[in-house]
Amino acid sequence: QQPVQSPQAVILREGEDAVINCSSSKALYSVHWYRQKHGEAPVFLMILLKGGEQKGHEKISASFNEKKQQSSLYLTASQLSYSGTYFCGTGANSNSGYALNFGKGTSLLVTP
Amino acid sequence: NAGVTQTPKFRILKIGQSMTLQCAQDMNHNYMYWYRQDPGMGLKLIYYSVGAGITDKGEVPNGYNVSRSTTEDFPLRLELAAPSQTSVYFCASSYARGANTEAFFGQGTRLTVV
């Protein structure tokens, strides 16, 4: 079942912060975050596993609330290079999680 | 390291034609996937494979077929192309189950059916 992402789109000025949310109606084992630039392939940012801790990647971090079946991606002091579409991918329990279900994406534009 | 390689990058098909989208990975990954991406809709899983000789349907398999004769290759076959199959197709692979580990994506094949 496709997770729901919000917001659908966001425009930031360079240096501002943003939060992208991802929620699922099903129990989750993992949440993945990918970024896709226009005309390119999605690129892996991070994975959060059930029972895992909040993770970070430079100025991009994420959290995973297992009870609420939600994850949030935090972009701090955004840079122009952060522009793109962000997808969350959710995995069911590890025994059946052969592939991810992706959300529709959040378009992020960082302007000078 | 090439990673995941897809060919062709672009293709225009006429309604009713058939074609095969090629996907190859050189990372010795057991798990491979085909997704299609339509504007504003995210990535939808078409088929996946957990190893050579083993394939299974994803969310949107109708109109497609796959085979996995080797670990490296996972071609996607479109039979009797229809305009609804106009999309960008991504092949991906992962070392372990998709829920557990990072997926590596190819550069995509942009297909137009006219």
Side-chain angles (χ1 to χ4, degrees), chain A residues 36-103:
Chain A
Q36 183 180 32
K37 293 189 180 284
H38 184 69
E40 298 182 5
V43 174
F44 175 80
L45 292 176
M46 66 188 76
I47 177 174
L48 299 102
L49 298 175
K50 187 176 180 180
E53 298 176 355
Q54 180 168 337
K55 290 203 171 185
H57 174 69
E58 296 181 345
K59 294 181 180 177
I60 301 175
S61 62
S63 62
F64 179 22
N65 186 322
E66 301 160 31
K67 289 184 179 178
K68 291 186 177 181
Q69 295 154 197
Q70 294 175 344
S71 177
S72 294
L73 185 72
Y74 306 95
L75 298 100
T76 305
S78 59
Q79 305 169 11
L80 297 176
S81 61
Y82 286 4
S83 292
T85 301
Y86 289 77
F87 292 98
C88 70
T90 55
N93 70 70
S94 60
N95 290 330
S96 63
Y98 293 114
L100 299 174
N101 289 311
F102 285 93

Side-chain angles (χ1 to χ4, degrees), chain A residues 87 104, chain B residues 35-44 60 64 83-90 111:
Chain A
F87 292 98
K104 292 183 179 181
Chain B
Y35 289 92
R36 59 175 287 172
Q37 185 176 37
D38 301 312
M41 298 302 293
L43 294 148
K44 299 282 190 181
V60 290
Y64 307 95
S84 60
Q85 293 178 304
T86 293
S87 188
V88 181
Y89 292 84
F90 286 101
L111 175 69

